[in-house]
């Protein structure tokens, strides 16, 4: 038995060594595309393996003198280590090295890739600077493929800056180039162009043109099974649906886009997507579900720290929700978030253009913030003082109770007897006087007529809710005088006019 156990362990050891050797050989044989797939497979499940794959990817590219893939390798490393400087420093070194020794690809490609990173991080001014710097190299090096990639990205920035005519001209110029050179154009780049044209036409309210380009983008995405642009297309459909107030289809398409946008880690579109869902549920009077997606946007912000322009709307809704609940602390929390997001976006927008307008009034938000802080401070102070006052009142009340208890017992009986006598005497006097005066001044005919008119008045309930009705007004309506009317009410109705 002991020998069998030893033999089994040896076999297992040999098998493990073979598997490790095979695994190492298999990684060495991986293409860059296969390594990319493996990197993203491990990125969310095993960061150690993801780091090894990214490092292997970069070293493989350097070994093969493949600068483009080396840049991608550094990007993966910056992602997995969560440090953009790893990527930026490497790209800058390539730009510095190739500036005075430029080729058809470099430093133009390095500027494009670096600009794209800034664009993704919504550092639009820095993105534009890199695109402009790189574009000039494509012109005199005659790299038209790269040139029109720059033009597409610059068009996206023009669109962001609401320069719609300039953006449209850039997009259509790119489209004409794509049609002339269809066999040279990467399908992903062409789909991106179609998607951006759809986005632009939507912004200038040409819905039919927007849907036409979007349908083309989605059809081509389905052909090549590109999940990223399939997700983008569903998201764009939701945007078009909400623009024509088709809230049910907005919700349907936006929900289809969610898992695809999450897989792509496109948090900016995901913010927009959650915003579409929240707005649709508000329009359908389902504020509970609307709040859910506003809170998902808040959660996504805490995870990504991306200052999406849609967050101001999300935070405003959540702040108002807590305001309606009387929760000042959470209301203040989300007002402060609004102010912070607004300050970041304002700073970034100024770098791109001075024409962008702010969606929220920052001074107003700051004033509201100060008001809430003041109220919270008063509330805390009030609670502290209230405890002291309550304690003093309780002590004094107890002392007074003991004093009054004995005194009250002695006077209670005497007081009650006296009160009863006075009341009886007053009732008798009032009754005698009332009967005498009424009989003396009013005839039975007048009394009967007034009672009949009062009965008719009482048949209309709305008369008793008329706060402007006075004794004088009612007397005129009943064609009598105030004195007669008052006496009849006192004597026959057993109350005065106000009580009546």
């Amino acid at each position: 038995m002991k020998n069998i156990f030893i033999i089994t362990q040896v076999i297992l050891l040999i098998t493990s060594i073979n598997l490790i050797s095979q695994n190492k050989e298999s990684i060495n044989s991986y293409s860059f595309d296969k390594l990319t797939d493996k990197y993203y497979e491990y990125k969310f499940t095993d960061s150690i393996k993801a780091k090894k794959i990214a490092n292997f990817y970069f070293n493989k590219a350097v070994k093969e003198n493949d600068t483009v893939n080396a840049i991608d390798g550094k990007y993966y490393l910056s992602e997995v280590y969560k440090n953009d400087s790893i990527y930026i420093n490497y790209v800058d070194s390539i730009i510095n090295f190739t500036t005075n020794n430029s080729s058809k690809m470099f430093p133009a490609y390095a500027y494009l890739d670096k600009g794209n990173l800034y664009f993704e991080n919504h550092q639009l001014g820095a993105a534009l600077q890199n695109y402009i710097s790189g574009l000039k190299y494509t012109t005199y090096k005659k790299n038209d493929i790269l040139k029109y990639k720059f033009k597409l990205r610059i068009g996206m920035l023009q669109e962001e800056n609401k320069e719609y005519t300039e953006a449209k001209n850039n997009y259509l110029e790119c489209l004409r180039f794509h049609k002339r050179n269809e066999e040279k154009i990467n399908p992903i780049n062409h789909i991106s162009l179609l998607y951006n044209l759809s986005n632009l036409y939507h912004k200038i309210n040409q819905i039919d043109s927007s849907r036409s380009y979007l349908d083309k983008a989605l059809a081509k995405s389905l052909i090549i099974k590109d999940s990223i642009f399939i997700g983008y297309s569903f998201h764009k459909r939701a945007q078009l649906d909400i623009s024509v107030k088709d809230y049910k289809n907005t919700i349907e398409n936006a929900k289809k886009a969610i898992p695809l946008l999450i897989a792509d880690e496109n948090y900016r579109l995901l913010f927009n997507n959650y915003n579409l869902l929240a707005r649709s549920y508000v329009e359908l009077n389902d504020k509970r579900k609307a709040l859910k997606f506003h809170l998902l946007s808040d959660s996504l912000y805490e995870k990504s720290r991306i200052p999406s322009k849609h967050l101001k709307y999300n935070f405003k809704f959540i702040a108002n929700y807590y305001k309606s609940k009387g929760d000042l602390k959470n209301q203040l929390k989300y007002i402060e978030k609004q102010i912070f997001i607004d300050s970041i976006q304002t700073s970034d927008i100024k770098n791109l253009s001075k024409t962008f307008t702010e969606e929220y009034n920052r001074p107003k938000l700051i004033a509201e913030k100060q008001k809430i802080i003041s109220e919270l401070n008063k509330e805390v102070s009030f609670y502290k003082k209230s405890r002291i006052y309550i304690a003093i009142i309780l002590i004094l009340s107890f002392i007074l109770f003991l004093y009054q208890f004995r005194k009250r017992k002695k006077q209670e009986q005497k007081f009650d007897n006296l009160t009863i006598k006075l009341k009886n005497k007053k009732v008798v006097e009032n009754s005698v006087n009332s009967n005498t005066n009424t009989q003396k001044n009013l005839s039975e005919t007048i009394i009967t007529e007034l009672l009949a008119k009062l009965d008719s008045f009482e048949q209309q309930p709305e008369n008793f809710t008329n706060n402007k009705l006075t004794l004088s007004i009612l007397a005129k309506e009943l064609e009598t005088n105030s004195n007669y009317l008052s006496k009849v009410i006192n004597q026959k109705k057993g109350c005065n006019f106000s009580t009546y």
Side-chain angles (χ1 to χ4, degrees), residues 468-485:
K468 296 181 179 180
L469 188 64
T470 64
L471 180 64
S472 177
I473 293 172
L474 181 59
K476 288 180 181 180
E477 290 181 0
L478 300 182
E479 298 179 343
T480 185
N481 62 57
S482 302
N483 190 31
Y484 285 1
L485 180 59

Side-chain angles (χ1 to χ4, degrees), residues 356-472:
F356 280 175
T357 57
E358 294 184 354
E359 188 177 341
Y360 292 99
N361 190 330
R362 290 186 63 213
K364 183 178 178 182
L365 286 173
I366 292 171
E368 188 174 358
K369 169 187 170 181
Q370 295 300 328
K371 181 180 177 182
I372 292 173
I373 290 173
S374 177
E375 288 179 2
L376 286 172
N377 290 334
K378 288 179 181 178
E379 187 176 335
V380 171
S381 177
F382 173 76
Y383 287 146
K384 289 180 179 178
K385 291 178 180 179
S386 295
R387 291 175 184 175
I388 298 172
Y389 294 152
I390 290 170
I392 293 172
I393 290 169
L394 288 174
I395 294 170
L396 292 175
S397 297
F398 182 71
I399 294 170
L400 287 172
F401 173 77
L402 292 176
Y403 172 77
Q404 292 292 336
F405 181 76
R406 292 184 179 181
K407 185 177 179 180
R408 191 180 299 115
K409 283 294 183 180
K410 293 178 180 179
Q411 296 179 346
E412 190 176 34
Q413 189 62 44
K414 184 178 179 180
F415 178 81
D416 288 344
N417 292 336
L418 181 60
T419 301
I420 292 169
K421 289 179 181 179
L422 290 172
K423 284 183 178 179
N424 290 338
K425 183 178 179 181
K426 188 174 182 179
V427 169
V428 172
E429 289 176 350
N430 288 340
S431 178
V432 172
N433 292 334
S434 178
N435 288 332
T436 303
N437 291 334
T438 303
Q439 295 299 329
K440 180 178 178 181
N441 297 323
L442 300 177
S443 66
E444 286 297 325
T445 302
I446 293 174
I447 293 172
T448 301
E449 287 179 357
L450 281 176
L451 286 174
K453 290 179 179 180
L454 286 173
D455 288 341
S456 176
F457 172 84
E458 291 170 359
Q459 297 303 314
Q460 303 177 40
E462 63 270 20
N463 289 331
F464 292 93
T465 61
N466 185 356
N467 294 328
K468 296 181 179 180
L469 188 64
T470 64
L471 180 64
S472 177

Side-chain angles (χ1 to χ4, degrees), residues 16 18 56 71 161 166 216 316 364 437:
S16 299
N18 287 335
F56 183 84
I71 290 174
N161 200 34
E166 292 81 358
K216 291 176 184 178
K316 183 178 181 181
K364 183 178 178 182
N437 291 334

Side-chain angles (χ1 to χ4, degrees), residues 53-66:
I53 293 291
N55 196 57
F56 183 84
Y57 188 108
F58 173 73
N59 290 331
K60 175 181 171 69
V62 172
K63 185 177 180 181
E64 296 178 9
N65 292 320
D66 188 338

Side-chain angles (χ1 to χ4, degrees), residues 6 52 76 141 202 205 216 223 231 237 245 252 258 299 308 316-317 336 348 358 422 488 490:
I6 293 171
K52 288 181 179 178
Y76 296 151
K141 288 294 181 180
H202 181 202
N205 204 32
K216 291 176 184 178
I223 290 172
R237 276 186 172 180
K245 300 182 180 181
E252 181 181 346
I258 288 175
S299 177
S308 167
K316 183 178 181 181
F317 184 96
E336 287 178 333
D348 185 58
E358 294 184 354
L422 290 172
V488 171
N490 289 342

